[in-house]
Every structure is written in C-alpha cells, then in structure tokens.
Amino acid sequence: MPYEVLARKWRPQVFEDVIGQEHITQTLVNAIKTGRLAHAYIFGGPRGVGKTSVARIFAKAINCAEGEPGIPCNRCRSCREITEGNSVDVQEIDGASNRGIDEIRELRESARYMPSASRYRIYVIDEVHMLTLPAFNALLKTLEEPPPHVKFIFATTESHKVPITILSRCQRFDFKRIALQKIVAYLEKISGHEGVAIGTTALAMIAREAEGSMRDAESLLDQVVSFAGDKVSDDQVPEILGIIDRGLIFESSSAIIEGAAPRCLAVVEKVYSRGYDIKEFYRALMAQFRNLLVSLIAPEENLIDMSESDRKEIRRQAEMAGTEKLQVVLNFLISREDALRFSTYPRLVLEATLIKLCTLGEYLSFDDIMKKMAFLEKRLLSLPPETHGEDGKTVLDPPINWTPKAVLDDHAEKPASGKDTPPHTADPKGTTDSALDGEKGWEAFLQFVSSKSKMLYTILKDWHFKALTEDLLEIANGNQKFSSGYFEEQDKRDQLAEYCRTFFKRDIRVKITARPIASAGEKERAARNDKGKNRTEASDELPPEVRDVAQNVLELFEGKLINK
Amino acid sequence: MSVETTPETVLTHLNGGRLKPLYLFYGPDDFHLEKILEQIREKAVPESARDFNVQVFDGEGGVNPGHILDAARSLPFLSGNRLIIVRRTDRIAASDLEILIPYVKSPVETTCIIFVAQKPDFRLKFFSSMRKQGHAVHFKELTDAQAVPWIMASAREMGLNISQDACRHLHGMIGNRSRALYTELEKLHLRHGTGKIGTPEIKELSIFSRMYTIFELMDEISQRGKARSLSILNRYLEEEGKDAAFGIIGMLTRQIRIIFQAKELMSQHVSRKDMAKKLGVPAFVVGKILGQARRWQEKDLEKALMLLYQADGSLKSGSQAPLVLENFLLSI
C-alpha cells in the first residue's frame, strides 16, 4: 500500500475528531438534529484549521441514512462515496480553477435536478473568494431562490473578498487557529499510533512552527519522522526544522542583561559555527526580550508559549533586568533590525549591536537625554553670569543646594565606569542609618534611586528638597512641566514611597508641597541671563503671580516691559 | 402627495386576503423584506398551485417587459391569485420600465406583482408613478432605539434565553443590520438551545467580534491596561494571523483620529446626533467614543499617533508584526 501522508491519513471523518472548532461543530450537529439547516454556509479561517474537513463531514452527516443524526456512519454508500470524492450528489468544486460565470451557470443548471440517491444535492466550493464578480452574481440568484433540495457550503481563507450580498445570505462560521496545547495533544496521539517516540518539547516546537494550523503541524511531523526515524530526540527537531537552539537564546539574553560582552561574542561565534541564519537568530532574540518584558508586565495572561522550566528562567532574567531596561533593549533591537537585515555583514552588525546592548546601562534613552539637556540648560541659566566660562565643575556646581553635587559628579563619571560595578554604590549598612536625616539623607537617597530607576532619578533631581525627618520626607515640585506633574499618579507616589522604605528601612511619609517662592527668584535669574535685564527690573515691583504671567508674555513675544 | 405603505400594512392586506395588485418593495432592510415576501408566497397562493401561479423575474439579466406583462395578464390556474415577483427592478432599463406604466395605471385584479428594488431612482417615471399611487413600501433599517427591543423580541420568538446585556453587546458588535443580527441569533440558538446566553457566548460565536476587538483594544489602551491589551492583541493576531497587523494599525489610527475629532466636537458642545454624522460613525458608537475621549489627553493622542506612524514604518520595512505591535502597546 502506498504511503499516505499524516495530514491525509489523520483527516477527521466525524465532528468529534475536529480539533479546536467545537463552537462550530456543535452548532452544526445541533442544526442537523433539529432539522434547522440553512441553505448556504460559509466557512472562513486560516489554512489547515479544518474548513474543508468540516464541510465534508457536514455533507456526509446530512446525507447519511444510517448514522445517528449529526454523526456520519462512514460505512454507507453515500458516506463512502463522499470520502472517496466520487459522489454524484455531493460535488466538491475548486473555486480557484472554476471561477468563471460559465462554470457557475453549469452549476445552476445541475442544481435544478433532484439528488440521485441522497437527501440533498450539496455543492462544496473551496476557495470561493476566487470566483469572478459575474460568477458571484450568477450564484446570488440561486442563493436568493434556492431549490429546497440544494445546500451550498463555501470555504475560504479570505472571507472579506466575498461580496457582502453573498455573505449575508449564508450562515457564516469563522474557524479559529488551533491552540498550541491542542495541536501538541493531537500530535502526541498521532505519534503514539504511528509508533514514533517523540517528546513533548519536540512536539511543542513543531506546533509553534505550525502557527495554529493542524495540517502544517502534521506535515512538519512527517518531515521530522522521515529524517529521524521512529525515535526523535529533542535536539534533532530544531536541527531538522532550522529552529534556533533555545539554550543559545537564553545564554545571550542573560549575557546582555548582565552586560557581559565577551559572553555575547562567544554566543555569536556559536551561532555562526552552527550555521544558523544570523537574521533568524536576531529575530529569536527580539522575541526573547519580548517574552522577558511580557513576563513582567502581564504574567497572568499566559502570553508566553514555553515550558515551565523555561518560564522560570525567563522570570528570573526579567526580574534581574527590570521593566525599564527591557523596554530600552527591545526598542533598541527593533530599531536596529533594519541595519542587520540589509547588511552585507550581518555577523558584524550583530556583534556590534550586542556589545552596545551590554553597555546600554550607561546610555540613556533619547527621552532621558532630552530631559537631561533640559535639566542642564536650566542649571546653566540659574547660575550668575560670572560663573560662565569657568571650568565644567564650577558650572555644574549647584548654586542652590538642593541638588547634591555628589550625585552630579557620580552621573558625569558614570559612562566611563564598567557595567560590572553595580550602580548601587551606597553601602546599604551605612546609608540606611536613621542618622541620615536632612539634606545628606536626601542626597544619598537620590544616589540610591539613580541605581534603581534612571527615570525617577531624573525626575527627582528636578524637585526641591525641603525636609527629611524620622517619618517624613517633604519635597516641593520643580519647574519643569513634565517632572512637576509626575507624582500626580498614585502608582508613581507608591513607587517613591517604596524606594524610601527600602532605603531608609522605615516607613516614611512623602509629603509633596507646592514649589517654594524661592524658585521664582531662581526663574528671575534665569530670565536675566537669557533675555536681558529689561524684564526683571520691572518685575520686582509686581506681585509674584502677575510677574510670572508677564514674563511668559515677554518671552513669547520677545518684548520689553515699559514702566508706566 | 405620495403616500407610502408600511410593511405592517402589507401584512394586514395579506392576512385580510386583500392584497393589492401592485407593490414596490424597496429599502436597505432586505431581511424584513424577504420575510414578508416569504409570507406572501406562503399565503397568497396555495402550495399545490404554486408551480403554475408564482413566477419570478430578475432585472439583472435583461428581462423583457413584455414577458412580465404577459405573465401579469394571464388568469390564475387552480387558484384565486397569481403572484409575480420582479427582483432587482432598479437594474431594468428606464425605457423598458416605461412600457410597464400603462399596466400600473390599470392592473389586473387577480395578479399581485411585487417589484423589488434596493435603491429605486424615483426620478424615473415608473418608480415615481408607483409611489404616487401608494404602491411603494419602504423597508427601513432598524433605528438604535428599535434595535435592542427587536433583538429581544426575535430571540424570544426563537425560544432563546438571552440577557438584556447580551442583546446590547450583540447590538454593539453588529449594529442595526437585521439580517446579520438574526443570523447570529439563529446560530446562538443552534449552539446553546434554550440555555442561558450571556456576553461570553456571543463573543465565542459571533463573526463580528473581530471588528469589536479593536474597540476593546482601544478601551484597554485608554485605561492603560497594558496586560489586558497585550492579551487582546495576541488573541486577535492568533485568530487572524500576522497579516492582520496592518489592519490593526489602520483601525487604531482611525480610532485615534476619531477620538481627536470627538474631543474637538465635545468642546464645541455638538449634539450626539450631529457628532455621529460628522465623525462618520453609527450613532450607537458615539457614547463609547465620548467615553474614550474623556480619558485621553491631547498630548497622549499625539504621542500615540507618532508611535503608530513609527510602527507602520517598521512593519512596512519587514519587521515582525506581533513584536512591533506589542512594543507599540508597551510604549504608549
């Protein structure tokens, strides 16, 4: 007997065998049982999910004289003829090759005759969206005045290409892609019957490649079995299907998170020597960082297709990196994909990208750079004019003492320092002392925050420190619109409180107060440096609120305040 | 002054055995139209005599008006009435239709001709004279106010045990198209029988859920529910395949533009009805859009548009669709 491919051998013959489409099969069975059959059905959905199979089973079920209602017996003449494809009353037409009006006219002619031996004359038109518009119009007439003995079943992968006039006259069912677990379970059943020893991990890899299509999954299983024989090990599957070894992906993500560039280079070497496609590897790496990020943001939503052990490792790595860093890495990877794809030396680009990612901790995102620039600009403007032109340190020296010099210095030096030294420079034992109250405590706290979240650090730098006591931290909002509104959201306040608790090792209430009046003076100084003296001379005499508005007007129109 | 007959009046004529010799059925609600046509077919001519006394013409293939007149002037056989249905009358040439006008003025009493047209041109003599003589029957689409009660009534007629919430959900998904609503109800009935039907059952079976998904997605995005929005996106891509990504970008962009416009109109205190017209959306969607508009700041909308623009660029240069979309959701 000639070999029959798995997809054909295991094609479902009763509704029960159809996987993942219970919402449709159950409805159809009930329709047969209650005798409420529509005259036309349209089955839409992606390839390999069971549209044509369900159409055939349905045709058998409504014409079968022996089986129970809704269950074809697969033994009677009608059932056998349909299975073999030579039934007179059930015609399967390929819409792609019989797409013209002539073929449909022919169909309409034949539809007028009563079925020869069965209850209904059934036309199954596969790929119905391929029909021409005149052919659809011809079909529409039959659908509008359908002979009672005729049933139409249309199957298509592209329902949207079928005219709405046809769609509205059919009972429409949309087939879904089949869930990974269901494909794995079915493949397990098949391999068991076929006497093939293959593990769940290997089957999961096959199922993932099939992207929800059972036929694809079965074909891939066929491919694997014909290469590896009756015993398939987990290592063989990636090799046969050209899937990249997960171990390498985990190794590279872990190296990137830890900032270990040499390990990254070693991984690239392995990828290259094993003959993997570099672009494919890059894609897998992007998917890995996506998984890392998703595992932190939506752990409950079951959005990661992985074994339990892989999931644990993902979670471990993700927690080590933190959301912010993962987001930056993923953004970076996506933005660099083009460079890799169009490069003549993808390996070089991959190496360069990975090395850059390892040192990414020292780089700020574009937003951060913009914020930092705005911050520096503000700092420069707030200095008295005579300090300009001094050495950099003097310029960065805070004229008012709320921003600690230590932090700024630390920040300036940072790009030079290696990633391997953790940014958390503060000694936990020394700094969490309750003696660290007041300004010093605030400075150390800022330093601590900088190691935890660059974003929050940048924001907090823009805030004014007011007081720090045993159980209260009082800060006033800064001048920047963005940073001053940052703590309006509860979760941001909670995050700050949490950092306080971790750092000071006690519960500290964070009190947020309005900007101190002093900052208005600061603004004045800035204005003086920026636009000249004219504005401040006048504004001294005005109340602070009016002064602010007046300054904004002057700034906008580059004008001058004329005293009355 | 033309007087239009309502579909209900036609039913009264039918039930009283006083069908008029001429009708022009037209309008967008082809479901209701076909239902009434079916009832007329059933009741006007007894089943045993239907083969001789019911004739159907189709305007599409170039029908000869002489044939229609011949059929109309024939006497009924083994029945008191003849029934002639002329489908797609609006496709018949104006000159051919004019041949029928004398018949319209003095029709044969034993024959009932029903002209069916989706969009008749009332500037043509034939259609205008039909309307003037009160033969035109307009099948209007359900209004928003009628839709939910109609769904409830149809469901009850079928024997469905459906909650009011589920009806509203179905209406939200499908809109006012009665044929689509009825088909979905029928499917629900086949699937669940007399069992209780709530929103999840509708989501499972309805083919229109995909369009609705974009609303859900936007809702989640505007509520900053990252986990849920990721989950909705993945479910959608799983069902539709990766090719759906462009569609999602398109639909999200459209949605954001609509929210932008709605915000603007809100500030001008425009009524909901006018808003629906200006935004080009069905009236029942406006409430939802306004809810979203309240949750979005203008600067966030601008940022979202910019991110969508970038995502579109990445997709078109061949990046992995799910990844790009997920990254968009996480960055927004």
Side-chain angles (χ1 to χ4, degrees), chain A residues 244-248 268-277:
Chain A
I244 288 160
D245 183 5
R246 294 208 65 75
L248 274 181
V268 177
E269 177 56 33
K270 274 186 208 164
V271 169
Y272 193 72
S273 60
R274 288 195 202 172
Y276 289 135
D277 181 10

Side-chain angles (χ1 to χ4, degrees), chain A residues 22-24 26-27 30-31 34 36 41 46 137 140-141 144-145 159-160 164 168-179 211 282-284 286-287 290 293-294 297-298 301 303 327 330-331 334 337-338 341-342, chain B residues 30 34 41 56 58 60-61 85 87-88 158 177 179 182-184 186-187 189-193 203-205 207-208 210 226-228 230-231 234 237-242 314 317-320 323-324 326-327 330-331:
Chain A
E22 292 75 16
H23 62 295
I24 293 170
Q26 190 55 48
T27 312
N30 289 347
T34 52
R36 297 170 63 110
Y41 292 88
N137 283 335
L140 183 61
K141 287 182 192 172
E144 273 176 347
E145 303 279 344
S159 315
H160 59 276
I164 188 83
S168 71
R169 281 175 172 78
C170 303
Q171 207 167 78
R172 187 170 155 193
F173 291 97
D174 278 7
F175 285 62
K176 291 178 182 163
R177 278 171 199 275
I178 304 164
E211 292 177 352
Y282 192 81
R283 261 180 234 131
M286 285 200 287
R290 173 261 180 201
L293 197 52
V294 167
I297 286 175
E301 301 282 344
L303 294 172
Q327 177 96 55
L330 184 60
N331 264 325
I334 289 177
E337 196 193 356
D338 268 1
R341 204 166 343 124
F342 300 118
Chain B
D30 62 337
E34 292 291 338
R41 234 189 249 240
V56 182
D58 197 319
E60 176 82 41
I85 299 168
R87 289 189 178 278
R88 276 178 280 274
M158 255 180 221
R177 289 161 295 158
R179 185 186 288 276
Y182 194 82
T183 315
E184 292 307 310
E186 215 165 30
K187 267 161 52 179
H189 185 228
L190 288 174
R191 172 88 167 97
H192 301 284
K203 277 188 186 168
E204 178 202 46
L205 208 57
I207 48 160
F208 296 94
R210 65 170 67 165
K226 284 187 175 168
R228 277 280 300 149
L230 275 180
S231 161
N234 274 278
L237 287 177
E238 195 174 294
E239 284 169 15
E240 296 295 312
K242 287 170 190 162
S314 305
S317 56
S319 297
Q320 283 173 292
L323 206 65
V324 170
E326 282 184 344
N327 195 41
L330 295 173
S331 320

Side-chain angles (χ1 to χ4, degrees), chain A residues 375-496:
Chain A
F375 167 74
L376 283 174
E377 196 179 27
K378 201 187 86 187
R379 305 283 305 134
L380 281 169
L381 293 176
S382 64
L383 288 172
E386 56 272 21
T387 53
H388 288 269
E390 296 280 322
D391 65 287
K393 210 172 175 187
T394 322
V395 172
L396 284 175
D397 263 346
I400 44 171
N401 2 345
W402 60 268
T403 308
K405 180 171 168 291
V407 174
L408 286 168
D409 287 347
D410 172 55
H411 211 90
E413 280 165 25
K414 231 176 187 178
S417 68
K419 169 72 198 161
D420 291 331
T421 49
H424 189 330
T425 47
D427 170 25
K429 276 177 196 160
T431 47
T432 50
D433 215 356
S434 64
L436 267 181
D437 283 345
E439 190 106 22
K440 264 195 172 167
W442 171 247
E443 284 171 18
F445 175 64
L446 270 182
Q447 214 169 339
F448 167 76
V449 171
S450 85
S451 71
K452 287 287 174 191
S453 162
K454 280 257 155 52
M455 173 84 175
L456 193 63
Y457 169 68
T458 322
I459 301 284
L460 277 180
K461 272 195 303 186
D462 202 30
W463 282 63
H464 300 250
F465 167 75
K466 290 192 85 177
L468 175 63
T469 59
E470 188 62 31
D471 60 347
L472 180 82
L473 167 65
E474 193 178 346
I475 47 175
N477 59 355
N479 294 327
Q480 294 295 315
K481 204 177 159 193
F482 175 78
S483 61
S484 63
Y486 188 76
F487 291 110
E488 275 169 18
E489 290 169 39
Q490 183 62 40
D491 56 333
K492 302 283 171 18
R493 287 202 297 276
D494 291 348
Q495 190 190 10
L496 181 63

Side-chain angles (χ1 to χ4, degrees), chain B residues 115-177:
Chain B
F115 294 99
V116 182
Q118 208 188 10
K119 280 182 192 162
D121 182 355
F122 284 108
R123 290 171 303 179
L124 296 180
K125 264 189 189 167
F126 172 77
F127 291 119
S128 68
S129 67
M130 285 289 279
R131 183 143 81 171
K132 266 182 202 153
Q133 291 177 41
H135 302 315
V137 187
H138 192 185
F139 289 83
K140 292 176 197 157
E141 207 168 57
L142 293 171
T143 62
D144 283 337
Q146 290 169 333
V148 176
W150 185 86
I151 298 173
M152 279 301 266
S154 307
R156 217 168 288 143
E157 214 174 275
M158 255 180 221
L160 265 181
N161 180 10
I162 189 169
S163 68
Q164 182 115 18
D165 267 352
C167 286
R168 265 196 290 270
H169 190 82
L170 193 66
H171 177 231
M173 266 195 214
I174 297 175
N176 298 342
R177 289 161 295 158

Side-chain angles (χ1 to χ4, degrees), chain B residues 59-74:
Chain B
E60 176 82 41
V63 66
N64 185 344
H67 292 167
I68 301 178
L69 290 176
D70 278 351
R73 290 192 173 126
S74 308

